[in-house]
Every structure is written in structure tokens, then in C-alpha cells.
């Protein structure tokens, strides 16, 4: 790395990218030891595990989001709005797509951003496995814009059922029995119960039919079976139709079609079955990729093809000792950001780099106000401890507070928590617009 004020460019302001930009901004940017630049296609950040709450209106992304430009000004880094579209690794610059307004007018042409060190943290998108009709008929939850689109469609559906004399039910089908699908199912029942407070009393939970569709033998396949069993029991109590061992062959305007030819009718369809790195990474034709388009890295999180490019988060293919890849979770991105922060500081000092070791602290699934279940990994042994109820809920909330602390600091995190408590008095319990 250059000795004279190196330029470190981080592409992607998700959990890992934003935390890394913040910490490098504190350690290097504020001291003018390096120029830290964060590039993202959005102006605001929402913690991805909360997108299902944005989709149901439980969380208002306009109020709860982090504005990159304002955050950058306080934390020693620069923010540039733009969509990463290409990379010249030999000449060390990335290309950013033109920025256009709502009418398609070009505000900024395609531009290049030079770097000395590049960190790719572009996250993941839903993997539709090329299933016919999915892109045309389904909603996704890859970004807060997509979550807002689902939210508006949900409000329209609630209103239609409430004001119609002939429509007596709302059918919602969710493909993917992972954490997103499970948590969204429970949250939908929660917000439906709130509708009577806001005058939509005819849209009751008895009129809500949710089909949670999983191709594998059980929901939450990446988590311990006890968690999956507990979550399935709670969902069934709420009224969710959990359909396991059900493969979808097609999506149509009427609903999902199973491999056996059965039609699962739905007014709203959401696809949350698996993730992959964005397809354009393959088109760049530079990196070594795995089957999920993730970029292969060395043990120190440098890409296998270039020692000036780090990769973190969901788009990172980091192979563990047992041959498996580090799972695409928020805790993985957090740990990767910490590792890359240390390694960039090591490089500046001419010190050897550290290897990344994923530490699984356990998994939690939040079923809205109804229940929280999960497991915590022991520090002294490899055994996990099953937790549920209020304790699990407290631990789940603490994960978000840890993320806030990493990007805001302790004092502001406490202030935000107090502000949230006070705002609950004056704000609706769900977003209604």
C-alpha cells in the first residue's frame, strides 16, 4: 500500500461495509492517514435483518434508516452515491453507473473511482433459481426499496378486503422457509391484529391466509432442528400453513404452481428462497467464483486473484476447514469487517496479515411479539444452549444494538434507544402510508 495517504474504497454500505467505513474513518480518516470512501447505490442504510419489519410497516425506513452522507461527515469517511458496475483491477479503479432522476435524465455520467485498496461488500440478492414467472410476479426483500414496495401492496390489499363486501380473505404465499420467510409470516399476523386500532376492523387475522413454502424437509434448514421445530409449532398456532417438501416449478398471476402441478392461490407472492451474489460480478470476469456467484477469498479475506481487493459479507466465499463456506449472516459480515480493519492497519505498518476465523455465536429467530427462539454457542465448549421467550427476545434485540454501537458509538446508541421509547408514544405502531 502506498505510504502517502492511501485511498481505501469500500463498495456496499450494508452491515459489514458501513461498520468498516466507520471504524476506518475513526482510525485513519479523521487523522488524515488515509482517505476512506464508501460507495453505495442507496442514500440510506437499513440493517438487512429488519427488512421484514419494513415490509409489514412495523419499522419506518424513513425514520429508522442511517443517512450515509450525514453519517460520513461525523465519522471521518466520504460517501459517494452510485452503483458499482465494473472493475479494472490492473489500473485500480472501479466504474460507477450513471445517476439518473425519476424521468431518466442523467444527473451524473458514468465515472471512475481510483483506489489503492478496494473492499467489495455488495451483499446478496434473492436466488430465484431461474424459476419461470418469479421475476414477473413476486416481491423480494433484498433492499428497503423492495420492502417498501411490498408494504404498499400489503396496505392496498388490507384496504381492499376491509372496504369490499365480496372479498373475504387475503392469501399471501412466501417461498423460502429460512429466517426471512419465518419472521415475515409471524410479523404479518402481528400487524393484521393492529389494523382494528386504525379503522380497518374488517380486515381481521381470520381473513389472513399465509402459506410458507419450503422445498426442503423442514423450515430453517440452516439452524438446529430444535429451533425449527419450535418455530414451526408457533407458526402453526398463529395459523400459518407451513408447507415443507414442496417445490415450486412456476409463478403465475394466480399464485405458485408446485412440481406436482398444484396451484397455491395467492394475492401477494414473495420469494425468499436462497441468496446469491449479484449477477454482474460474473459478468466482470475477473474473480474466481463459487456456484452462488460469491467471490472466492484467501484466509485473510483478500480475493484469490488480487492482493489489493478484500471481500466481506454475503458476497464473500470464505471456505472453512471442513470445506463449507461461511454462512451469509449479519454476524459473519460483522466479524469480517473487524478482520479487514485489522489487516488494512497491518498493511499500513508493514505487518503480516491475520487469517479470518468465523465464530458462530448462535442463531435467533424472532416471531414478532409472539415468540423468539434460538441457540447460543458456549464460549468454553462447542455445545449450544436453546433459548426462547423473553430471554431470547432480549438477546435478539441486543444484536441490533451491537450493530448500532459499531456505527454510532455507545452514547448515540443509548440516545437512539431512548428516542425510540419516546417516539412510541406519538408514532403509530405501524406505518400506514
Amino acid at each position: 500500500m502506498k505510504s502517502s495517504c492511501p485511498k481505501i474504497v469500500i463498495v456496499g454500505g450494508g452491515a459489514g461495509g458501513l461498520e468498516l467505513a466507520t471504524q476506518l474513518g475513526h482510525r485513519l480518516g479523521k487523522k488524515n492517514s488515509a482517505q476512506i470512501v464508501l460507495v453505495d447505490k442507496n442514500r440510506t442504510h437499513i440493517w438487512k435483518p429488519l427488512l421484514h419489519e419494513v415490509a409489514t410497516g412495523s419499522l419506518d425506513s424513513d425514520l429508522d434508516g442511517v443517512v450515509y452522507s450525514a453519517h460520513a461527515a461525523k465519522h471521518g469517511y466520504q460517501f459517494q452515491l452510485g452503483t458499482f458496475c465494473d472493475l479494472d483491477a490492473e489500473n485500480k479503479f472501479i466504474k460507477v453507473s450513471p445517476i439518473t432522476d425519476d424521468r431518466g435524465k442523467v444527473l451524473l455520467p458514468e465515472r471512475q473511482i481510483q483506489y489503492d485498496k478496494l473492499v467489495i461488500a455488495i451483499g446478496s440478492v434473492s436466488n430465484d433459481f431461474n424459476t419461470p414467472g418469479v421475476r414477473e410476479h413476486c416481491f423480494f426483500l433484498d433492499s428497503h426499496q423492495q420492502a417498501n414496495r411490498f408494504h404498499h401492496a400489503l396496505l392496498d390489499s388490507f384496504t381492499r378486503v376491509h372496504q369490499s363486501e365480496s372479498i373475504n380473505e387475503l392469501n399471501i404465499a412466501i417461498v423460502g422457509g429460512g429466517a426471512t420467510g419465518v419472521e415475515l409470516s409471524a410479523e404479518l399476523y402481528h400487524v393484521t391484529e393492529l389494523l382494528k386500532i386504525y379503522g380497518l376492523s374488517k380486515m381481521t387475522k381470520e381473513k389472513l391466509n399465509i402459506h410458507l413454502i419450503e422445498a426442503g424437509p423442514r423450515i430453517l434448514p440452516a439452524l438446529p432442528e430444535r429451533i425449527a421445530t419450535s418455530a414451526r409449532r408457533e407458526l402453526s398456532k398463529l395459523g400459518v400453513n407451513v408447507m415443507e417438501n414442496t417445490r415450486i416449478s412456476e409463478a403465475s398471476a394466480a399464485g405458485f404452481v408446485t412440481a406436482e402441478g398444484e396451484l397455491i392461490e395467492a394475492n401477494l407472492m414473495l420469494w425468499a428462497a436462497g441468496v446469491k451474489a449479484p449477477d454482474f460480478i460474473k459478468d466482470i470476469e475477473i474473480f474466481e467464483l463459487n456456484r452462488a456467484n460469491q467471490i472466492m477469498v484467501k484466509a485473510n479475506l483478500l480475493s484469490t486473484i488480487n492482493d489489493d481487493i478484500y471481500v466481506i459479507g454475503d458476497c464473500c466465499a470464505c471456505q472453512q476447514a471442513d470445506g463449507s463456506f461461511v454462512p451469509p449472516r449479519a454476524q459473519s459480515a460483522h466479524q469480517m469487517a473487524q478482520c479487514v480493519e485489522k489487516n488494512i492497519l497491518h498493511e499500513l505498518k508493514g505487518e503480516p496479515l491475520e487469517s479470518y476465523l468465523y465464530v458462530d455465536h448462535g442463531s435467533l429467530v424472532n416471531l414478532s411479539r409472539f415468540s423468539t427462539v434460538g441457540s447460543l454457542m458456549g464460549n468454553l465448549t462447542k455445545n449450544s444452549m436453546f433459548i426462547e421467550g423473553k430471554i431470547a427476545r432480549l438477546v435478539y434485540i441486543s444484536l441490533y444494538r451491537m450493530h448500532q454501537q459499531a456505527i454510532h458509538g455507545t452514547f448515540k446508541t443509548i440516545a437512539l434507544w431512548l428516542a425510540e421509547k419516546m417516539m412510541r408514544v406519538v408514532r403509530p405502531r405501524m406505518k400506514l402510508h
Side-chain angles (χ1 to χ4, degrees):
M1 190 179 289
K2 296 178 182 179
S3 57
S4 58
C5 198
K7 186 174 183 180
I8 302 165
V9 175
I10 302 164
V11 182
L18 182 56
E19 289 183 17
L20 180 60
T22 303
Q23 298 308 316
L24 289 178
H26 291 167
R27 301 291 294 272
L28 301 173
K30 287 187 174 182
K31 299 175 182 177
N32 294 319
S33 300
Q35 183 183 0
I36 314 300
V37 180
L38 176 66
V39 180
D40 197 275
K41 61 184 177 182
N42 300 305
R43 288 185 168 87
T44 57
H45 161 85
I46 287 287
W47 198 47
K48 197 169 184 179
L50 294 179
L51 285 179
H52 70 282
E53 294 189 22
V54 177
T56 59
S58 300
L59 188 74
D60 189 338
S61 60
D62 295 332
L63 296 172
D64 295 281
V66 178
V67 180
Y68 290 121
S69 55
H71 188 268
K74 293 181 179 179
H75 295 276
Y77 67 92
Q78 301 169 27
F79 171 68
Q80 289 206 29
L81 179 69
T83 301
F84 171 47
C85 64
D86 204 353
L87 166 68
D88 187 329
E90 184 177 348
N91 295 302
K92 291 190 174 184
F93 67 81
I94 64 168
K95 286 185 180 180
V96 179
S97 299
I99 296 177
T100 59
D101 63 16
D102 293 339
R103 298 179 180 179
K105 181 181 178 181
V106 176
L107 303 176
L108 273 176
E110 181 181 270
R111 60 200 191 279
Q112 298 176 357
I113 301 175
Q114 294 287 152
Y115 67 82
D116 293 303
K117 283 291 174 182
L118 177 66
V119 183
I120 298 179
I122 55 174
S124 61
V125 296
S126 296
N127 191 347
D128 63 5
F129 304 102
N130 296 317
T131 307
V134 169
R135 289 287 161 186
E136 294 80 7
H137 300 290
C138 295
F139 291 93
F140 300 88
L141 291 185
D142 297 327
S143 66
H144 64 267
Q145 290 94 339
Q146 291 181 346
N148 281 328
R149 282 197 288 272
F150 179 85
H151 174 61
H152 293 149
L154 181 66
L155 289 179
D156 289 342
S157 297
F158 284 157
T159 302
R160 186 169 62 249
V161 174
H162 171 71
Q163 296 184 355
S164 173
E165 296 297 332
S166 58
I167 302 175
N168 294 313
E169 62 181 7
L170 172 59
N171 294 309
I172 300 177
I174 302 167
V175 173
T180 298
V182 169
E183 292 181 331
L184 178 62
S185 297
E187 199 67 39
L188 284 167
Y189 271 99
H190 171 54
V191 296
T192 303
E193 287 189 348
L194 296 177
L195 292 176
K196 58 180 178 290
I197 302 174
Y198 302 110
L200 299 175
S201 56
K202 292 183 181 179
M203 178 60 230
T204 63
K205 64 178 183 179
E206 287 75 24
K207 294 182 179 180
L208 179 64
N209 301 316
I210 297 178
H211 308 282
L212 179 60
I213 306 162
E214 168 58 41
R218 66 176 175 88
I219 60 172
L220 301 174
L223 304 186
E225 188 169 354
R226 186 175 178 185
I227 297 176
T229 301
S230 181
R232 193 189 198 287
R233 182 175 62 249
E234 294 297 329
L235 290 176
S236 297
K237 286 181 183 178
L238 291 175
V240 177
N241 178 24
V242 180
M243 305 175 67
E244 295 163 330
N245 291 306
T246 304
R247 287 195 166 274
I248 298 301
S249 62
E250 181 185 355
S252 69
F256 288 114
V257 179
T258 69
E260 290 74 30
E262 176 192 356
L263 174 65
I264 303 171
E265 294 185 8
N267 307 107
L268 292 175
M269 295 179 286
L270 187 132
W271 189 274
V275 297
K276 64 178 180 179
D279 287 332
F280 79 89
I281 286 294
K282 187 190 302 180
D283 299 333
I284 291 176
E285 296 183 344
I286 291 178
F287 298 108
E288 181 185 1
L289 308 175
N290 67 4
R291 286 192 290 180
N293 276 358
Q294 293 172 304
I295 301 170
M296 298 292 294
V297 296
K298 304 173 187 176
N300 52 22
L301 297 182
L302 283 167
S303 75
T304 55
I305 59 93
N306 192 293
D307 284 347
D308 292 315
I309 303 174
Y310 287 97
V311 188
I312 65 173
D314 288 4
C315 66
C316 175
C318 182
Q319 200 160 18
Q320 303 182 94
D322 63 358
S324 65
F325 289 99
V326 173
R329 297 179 184 173
Q331 62 174 313
S332 313
H334 171 72
Q335 294 172 23
M336 287 178 175
Q338 290 180 324
C339 180
V340 170
E341 178 196 349
K342 292 177 183 176
N343 282 341
I344 287 177
L345 294 174
H346 287 325
E347 285 195 83
L348 287 172
K349 297 174 183 177
E351 299 172 351
L353 304 186
E354 297 182 16
S355 294
Y356 169 68
L357 178 64
Y358 172 61
V359 180
D360 187 353
H361 293 298
S363 304
L364 292 162
V365 178
N366 180 39
L367 304 178
S368 189
R369 68 171 184 81
F370 305 106
S371 180
T372 302
V373 296
S375 63
L376 297 179
M377 303 299 294
N379 291 325
L380 300 179
T381 70
K382 293 185 178 180
N383 295 325
S384 63
M385 177 178 67
F386 179 81
I387 59 173
E388 61 182 333
K390 292 182 178 179
I391 295 177
R393 173 67 177 169
L394 182 64
V395 175
Y396 183 88
I397 293 172
S398 72
L399 297 177
Y400 180 47
R401 299 305 177 197
M402 288 170 62
H403 171 64
Q404 287 183 311
Q405 185 178 22
I407 61 175
H408 293 306
T410 302
F411 177 77
K412 188 170 181 181
T413 298
I414 294 172
L416 286 169
W417 175 72
L418 291 173
E420 288 172 20
K421 291 288 186 183
M422 290 186 286
M423 287 297 287
R424 285 180 186 175
V425 179
V426 295
R427 275 169 56 181
R429 293 167 65 184
M430 67 176 291
K431 186 180 179 184
L432 296 164
H433 64 280

Short mmCIF file of all heavy atoms in Angstrom, two decimals, residues 12-56:
data_model
loop_
_atom_site.label_atom_id
_atom_site.label_comp_id
_atom_site.label_asym_id
_atom_site.label_seq_id
_atom_site.Cartn_x
_atom_site.Cartn_y
_atom_site.Cartn_z
N GLY A 12 -20.40 -0.84 -1.03
CA GLY A 12 -21.50 -1.51 -0.33
C GLY A 12 -21.60 -1.06 1.10
O GLY A 12 -20.68 -1.29 1.89
N GLY A 13 -22.71 -0.44 1.46
CA GLY A 13 -22.90 0.08 2.81
C GLY A 13 -23.83 -0.75 3.66
O GLY A 13 -24.65 -0.21 4.41
N GLY A 14 -23.73 -2.08 3.53
CA GLY A 14 -24.52 -2.96 4.38
C GLY A 14 -23.91 -3.06 5.76
O GLY A 14 -23.10 -2.22 6.16
N ALA A 15 -24.26 -4.13 6.48
CA ALA A 15 -23.78 -4.28 7.85
C ALA A 15 -22.26 -4.25 7.93
O ALA A 15 -21.67 -3.50 8.72
CB ALA A 15 -24.31 -5.59 8.45
N GLY A 16 -21.59 -5.03 7.07
CA GLY A 16 -20.13 -5.08 7.11
C GLY A 16 -19.48 -3.84 6.54
O GLY A 16 -18.55 -3.28 7.14
N GLY A 17 -19.96 -3.37 5.38
CA GLY A 17 -19.35 -2.23 4.73
C GLY A 17 -19.44 -0.95 5.53
O GLY A 17 -18.47 -0.19 5.64
N LEU A 18 -20.61 -0.69 6.11
CA LEU A 18 -20.79 0.53 6.89
C LEU A 18 -19.98 0.49 8.18
O LEU A 18 -19.37 1.49 8.58
CB LEU A 18 -22.27 0.75 7.21
CG LEU A 18 -22.61 2.02 8.01
CD1 LEU A 18 -22.09 3.26 7.31
CD2 LEU A 18 -24.11 2.12 8.25
N GLU A 19 -19.94 -0.67 8.83
CA GLU A 19 -19.14 -0.79 10.05
C GLU A 19 -17.66 -0.58 9.74
O GLU A 19 -16.95 0.10 10.48
CB GLU A 19 -19.36 -2.16 10.70
CG GLU A 19 -20.73 -2.32 11.33
CD GLU A 19 -20.91 -3.66 12.03
OE1 GLU A 19 -19.89 -4.32 12.30
OE2 GLU A 19 -22.07 -4.04 12.30
N LEU A 20 -17.19 -1.14 8.63
CA LEU A 20 -15.79 -0.99 8.26
C LEU A 20 -15.46 0.46 7.92
O LEU A 20 -14.42 0.98 8.37
CB LEU A 20 -15.46 -1.89 7.06
CG LEU A 20 -14.02 -1.84 6.55
CD1 LEU A 20 -13.03 -2.26 7.64
CD2 LEU A 20 -13.85 -2.72 5.32
N ALA A 21 -16.32 1.12 7.16
CA ALA A 21 -16.09 2.53 6.82
C ALA A 21 -16.04 3.39 8.08
O ALA A 21 -15.21 4.30 8.20
CB ALA A 21 -17.20 3.02 5.88
N THR A 22 -16.93 3.09 9.02
CA THR A 22 -16.97 3.85 10.28
C THR A 22 -15.69 3.68 11.07
O THR A 22 -15.08 4.67 11.52
CB THR A 22 -18.17 3.39 11.13
OG1 THR A 22 -19.38 3.54 10.39
CG2 THR A 22 -18.27 4.22 12.41
N GLN A 23 -15.26 2.45 11.24
CA GLN A 23 -14.07 2.19 12.06
C GLN A 23 -12.80 2.71 11.39
O GLN A 23 -11.93 3.29 12.05
CB GLN A 23 -13.95 0.69 12.35
CG GLN A 23 -15.12 0.11 13.14
CD GLN A 23 -15.42 0.88 14.42
OE1 GLN A 23 -14.50 1.24 15.16
NE2 GLN A 23 -16.69 1.14 14.67
N LEU A 24 -12.68 2.53 10.06
CA LEU A 24 -11.52 3.07 9.36
C LEU A 24 -11.55 4.59 9.34
O LEU A 24 -10.50 5.25 9.36
CB LEU A 24 -11.44 2.52 7.93
CG LEU A 24 -11.08 1.04 7.79
CD1 LEU A 24 -11.10 0.63 6.32
CD2 LEU A 24 -9.71 0.74 8.40
N GLY A 25 -12.74 5.15 9.29
CA GLY A 25 -12.87 6.60 9.37
C GLY A 25 -12.34 7.13 10.69
O GLY A 25 -11.65 8.16 10.74
N HIS A 26 -12.63 6.42 11.77
CA HIS A 26 -12.14 6.82 13.10
C HIS A 26 -10.63 6.64 13.19
O HIS A 26 -9.91 7.53 13.69
CB HIS A 26 -12.81 5.99 14.19
CG HIS A 26 -14.26 6.30 14.35
ND1 HIS A 26 -15.13 5.51 15.08
CD2 HIS A 26 -15.03 7.30 13.86
CE1 HIS A 26 -16.34 6.02 15.04
NE2 HIS A 26 -16.32 7.10 14.31
N ARG A 27 -10.14 5.50 12.71
CA ARG A 27 -8.74 5.15 12.90
C ARG A 27 -7.81 5.87 11.92
O ARG A 27 -6.66 6.19 12.26
CB ARG A 27 -8.55 3.63 12.73
CG ARG A 27 -9.36 2.78 13.70
CD ARG A 27 -8.88 2.91 15.14
NE ARG A 27 -7.54 2.36 15.32
CZ ARG A 27 -7.28 1.09 15.60
NH1 ARG A 27 -8.29 0.23 15.72
NH2 ARG A 27 -6.04 0.68 15.78
N LEU A 28 -8.31 6.11 10.70
CA LEU A 28 -7.44 6.66 9.65
C LEU A 28 -7.97 7.97 9.07
O LEU A 28 -7.21 8.92 8.88
CB LEU A 28 -7.28 5.63 8.52
CG LEU A 28 -6.68 4.27 8.90
CD1 LEU A 28 -6.75 3.32 7.70
CD2 LEU A 28 -5.25 4.42 9.39
N GLY A 29 -9.25 8.00 8.73
CA GLY A 29 -9.82 9.16 8.05
C GLY A 29 -9.72 10.45 8.84
O GLY A 29 -9.32 11.50 8.31
N LYS A 30 -10.07 10.40 10.11
CA LYS A 30 -10.03 11.60 10.94
C LYS A 30 -8.61 12.09 11.19
O LYS A 30 -8.40 13.27 11.50
CB LYS A 30 -10.75 11.34 12.27
CG LYS A 30 -12.26 11.25 12.16
CD LYS A 30 -12.92 11.16 13.51
CE LYS A 30 -14.44 11.22 13.40
NZ LYS A 30 -15.11 11.19 14.73
N LYS A 31 -7.65 11.20 11.06
CA LYS A 31 -6.24 11.56 11.28
C LYS A 31 -5.52 11.88 9.97
O LYS A 31 -4.31 12.11 9.97
CB LYS A 31 -5.53 10.41 11.99
CG LYS A 31 -6.11 10.07 13.35
CD LYS A 31 -5.43 8.84 13.94
CE LYS A 31 -6.05 8.47 15.29
NZ LYS A 31 -5.45 7.22 15.84
N ASN A 32 -6.28 11.87 8.85
CA ASN A 32 -5.71 12.10 7.52
C ASN A 32 -4.60 11.11 7.18
O ASN A 32 -3.69 11.41 6.40
CB ASN A 32 -5.18 13.53 7.39
CG ASN A 32 -6.30 14.56 7.46
OD1 ASN A 32 -7.36 14.36 6.87
ND2 ASN A 32 -6.06 15.65 8.18
N SER A 33 -4.69 9.89 7.78
CA SER A 33 -3.72 8.84 7.47
C SER A 33 -4.13 8.07 6.22
O SER A 33 -3.32 7.37 5.63
CB SER A 33 -3.60 7.88 8.65
OG SER A 33 -3.17 8.55 9.81
N ALA A 34 -5.40 8.17 5.85
CA ALA A 34 -5.91 7.52 4.65
C ALA A 34 -7.22 8.20 4.26
O ALA A 34 -7.89 8.82 5.10
CB ALA A 34 -6.13 6.03 4.87
N GLN A 35 -7.57 8.10 2.99
CA GLN A 35 -8.84 8.60 2.51
C GLN A 35 -9.80 7.42 2.42
O GLN A 35 -9.53 6.46 1.69
CB GLN A 35 -8.66 9.26 1.14
CG GLN A 35 -9.93 9.89 0.57
CD GLN A 35 -9.71 10.47 -0.82
OE1 GLN A 35 -8.61 10.40 -1.37
NE2 GLN A 35 -10.76 11.03 -1.40
N ILE A 36 -10.89 7.48 3.15
CA ILE A 36 -11.87 6.39 3.19
C ILE A 36 -13.10 6.81 2.40
O ILE A 36 -13.70 7.85 2.69
CB ILE A 36 -12.27 6.03 4.63
CG1 ILE A 36 -11.04 5.92 5.55
CG2 ILE A 36 -13.10 4.75 4.65
CD1 ILE A 36 -10.05 4.86 5.14
N VAL A 37 -13.47 6.02 1.40
CA VAL A 37 -14.62 6.34 0.56
C VAL A 37 -15.59 5.16 0.57
O VAL A 37 -15.20 4.03 0.28
CB VAL A 37 -14.20 6.63 -0.90
CG1 VAL A 37 -15.43 6.96 -1.76
CG2 VAL A 37 -13.21 7.79 -0.95
N LEU A 38 -16.84 5.44 0.91
CA LEU A 38 -17.91 4.43 0.87
C LEU A 38 -18.79 4.71 -0.34
O LEU A 38 -19.29 5.83 -0.51
CB LEU A 38 -18.74 4.46 2.15
CG LEU A 38 -19.94 3.51 2.20
CD1 LEU A 38 -19.49 2.06 2.19
CD2 LEU A 38 -20.79 3.78 3.44
N VAL A 39 -19.01 3.70 -1.17
CA VAL A 39 -19.86 3.83 -2.36
C VAL A 39 -21.07 2.93 -2.19
O VAL A 39 -20.94 1.74 -1.90
CB VAL A 39 -19.09 3.42 -3.64
CG1 VAL A 39 -19.99 3.56 -4.87
CG2 VAL A 39 -17.82 4.26 -3.80
N ASP A 40 -22.26 3.49 -2.37
CA ASP A 40 -23.48 2.68 -2.30
C ASP A 40 -24.52 3.26 -3.23
O ASP A 40 -24.55 4.48 -3.47
CB ASP A 40 -24.02 2.64 -0.86
CG ASP A 40 -25.01 1.51 -0.65
OD1 ASP A 40 -26.21 1.70 -0.96
OD2 ASP A 40 -24.59 0.43 -0.20
N LYS A 41 -25.39 2.39 -3.75
CA LYS A 41 -26.43 2.83 -4.69
C LYS A 41 -27.61 3.48 -3.99
O LYS A 41 -28.47 4.09 -4.64
CB LYS A 41 -26.91 1.65 -5.54
CG LYS A 41 -27.53 0.51 -4.74
CD LYS A 41 -27.88 -0.65 -5.65
CE LYS A 41 -28.45 -1.82 -4.85
NZ LYS A 41 -28.76 -2.99 -5.71
N ASN A 42 -27.68 3.35 -2.66
CA ASN A 42 -28.75 3.96 -1.87
C ASN A 42 -28.20 5.12 -1.05
O ASN A 42 -27.00 5.19 -0.76
CB ASN A 42 -29.37 2.93 -0.92
CG ASN A 42 -29.96 1.75 -1.66
OD1 ASN A 42 -30.79 1.92 -2.55
ND2 ASN A 42 -29.51 0.55 -1.32
N ARG A 43 -29.09 6.00 -0.62
CA ARG A 43 -28.69 7.11 0.22
C ARG A 43 -28.76 6.77 1.71
O ARG A 43 -28.18 7.47 2.53
CB ARG A 43 -29.56 8.34 -0.06
CG ARG A 43 -29.28 9.01 -1.40
CD ARG A 43 -30.09 10.29 -1.56
NE ARG A 43 -29.63 11.08 -2.68
CZ ARG A 43 -30.05 10.94 -3.93
NH1 ARG A 43 -30.96 10.01 -4.21
NH2 ARG A 43 -29.58 11.71 -4.90
N THR A 44 -29.50 5.72 2.04
CA THR A 44 -29.68 5.36 3.45
C THR A 44 -29.41 3.88 3.67
O THR A 44 -29.50 3.06 2.75
CB THR A 44 -31.11 5.68 3.93
OG1 THR A 44 -32.05 4.99 3.10
CG2 THR A 44 -31.37 7.17 3.88
N HIS A 45 -29.11 3.55 4.91
CA HIS A 45 -28.81 2.17 5.33
C HIS A 45 -29.89 1.67 6.28
O HIS A 45 -30.30 2.38 7.21
CB HIS A 45 -27.45 2.15 6.04
CG HIS A 45 -27.23 0.93 6.90
ND1 HIS A 45 -26.75 -0.26 6.39
CD2 HIS A 45 -27.43 0.73 8.23
CE1 HIS A 45 -26.67 -1.14 7.38
NE2 HIS A 45 -27.07 -0.57 8.50
N ILE A 46 -30.35 0.47 6.02
CA ILE A 46 -31.23 -0.25 6.95
C ILE A 46 -30.60 -1.60 7.21
O ILE A 46 -30.17 -2.29 6.27
CB ILE A 46 -32.65 -0.45 6.37
CG1 ILE A 46 -33.42 0.87 6.37
CG2 ILE A 46 -33.43 -1.48 7.18
CD1 ILE A 46 -33.89 1.36 7.72
N TRP A 47 -30.51 -1.99 8.47
CA TRP A 47 -29.95 -3.30 8.82
C TRP A 47 -30.80 -4.38 8.18
O TRP A 47 -32.01 -4.45 8.41
CB TRP A 47 -29.94 -3.44 10.34
CG TRP A 47 -29.04 -4.51 10.87
CD1 TRP A 47 -27.74 -4.75 10.52
CD2 TRP A 47 -29.36 -5.47 11.88
NE1 TRP A 47 -27.23 -5.79 11.26
CE2 TRP A 47 -28.20 -6.25 12.09
CE3 TRP A 47 -30.50 -5.74 12.63
CZ2 TRP A 47 -28.16 -7.29 13.01
CZ3 TRP A 47 -30.46 -6.76 13.55
CH2 TRP A 47 -29.30 -7.54 13.74
N LYS A 48 -30.19 -5.20 7.33
CA LYS A 48 -30.94 -6.14 6.48
C LYS A 48 -31.84 -7.10 7.27
O LYS A 48 -32.94 -7.42 6.80
CB LYS A 48 -29.98 -6.92 5.58
CG LYS A 48 -30.69 -7.59 4.41
CD LYS A 48 -29.72 -8.14 3.39
CE LYS A 48 -30.45 -8.72 2.19
NZ LYS A 48 -29.51 -9.24 1.17
N PRO A 49 -31.43 -7.61 8.45
CA PRO A 49 -32.34 -8.49 9.18
C PRO A 49 -33.66 -7.84 9.60
O PRO A 49 -34.59 -8.53 10.03
CB PRO A 49 -31.52 -8.87 10.42
CG PRO A 49 -30.10 -8.79 9.97
CD PRO A 49 -30.08 -7.61 9.05
N LEU A 50 -33.77 -6.50 9.45
CA LEU A 50 -35.01 -5.81 9.82
C LEU A 50 -35.91 -5.53 8.63
O LEU A 50 -36.97 -4.92 8.78
CB LEU A 50 -34.68 -4.48 10.52
CG LEU A 50 -33.98 -4.57 11.88
CD1 LEU A 50 -33.71 -3.17 12.42
CD2 LEU A 50 -34.81 -5.36 12.88
N LEU A 51 -35.52 -5.96 7.43
CA LEU A 51 -36.31 -5.63 6.24
C LEU A 51 -37.72 -6.22 6.28
O LEU A 51 -38.65 -5.65 5.71
CB LEU A 51 -35.59 -6.09 4.98
CG LEU A 51 -34.39 -5.23 4.54
CD1 LEU A 51 -33.74 -5.81 3.29
CD2 LEU A 51 -34.82 -3.79 4.30
N HIS A 52 -37.89 -7.35 6.96
CA HIS A 52 -39.25 -7.91 7.04
C HIS A 52 -40.16 -7.01 7.86
O HIS A 52 -41.37 -6.97 7.64
CB HIS A 52 -39.21 -9.33 7.63
CG HIS A 52 -38.86 -9.38 9.08
ND1 HIS A 52 -37.57 -9.25 9.55
CD2 HIS A 52 -39.64 -9.55 10.19
CE1 HIS A 52 -37.57 -9.34 10.87
NE2 HIS A 52 -38.81 -9.52 11.27
N GLU A 53 -39.59 -6.24 8.80
CA GLU A 53 -40.39 -5.29 9.57
C GLU A 53 -40.72 -4.05 8.75
O GLU A 53 -41.79 -3.46 8.90
CB GLU A 53 -39.65 -4.90 10.86
CG GLU A 53 -39.48 -6.06 11.83
CD GLU A 53 -38.95 -5.62 13.19
OE1 GLU A 53 -39.10 -4.43 13.52
OE2 GLU A 53 -38.38 -6.46 13.91
N VAL A 54 -39.81 -3.66 7.86
CA VAL A 54 -40.12 -2.57 6.92
C VAL A 54 -41.24 -3.01 5.99
O VAL A 54 -42.17 -2.25 5.70
CB VAL A 54 -38.87 -2.18 6.10
CG1 VAL A 54 -39.21 -1.11 5.07
CG2 VAL A 54 -37.75 -1.68 7.02
N ALA A 55 -41.20 -4.26 5.56
CA ALA A 55 -42.19 -4.79 4.62
C ALA A 55 -43.60 -4.81 5.22
O ALA A 55 -44.58 -4.66 4.49
CB ALA A 55 -41.79 -6.19 4.17
N THR A 56 -43.71 -5.00 6.51
CA THR A 56 -45.02 -5.05 7.16
C THR A 56 -45.45 -3.71 7.74
O THR A 56 -46.60 -3.56 8.15
CB THR A 56 -45.03 -6.10 8.29
OG1 THR A 56 -44.03 -5.75 9.25
CG2 THR A 56 -44.76 -7.49 7.74
#
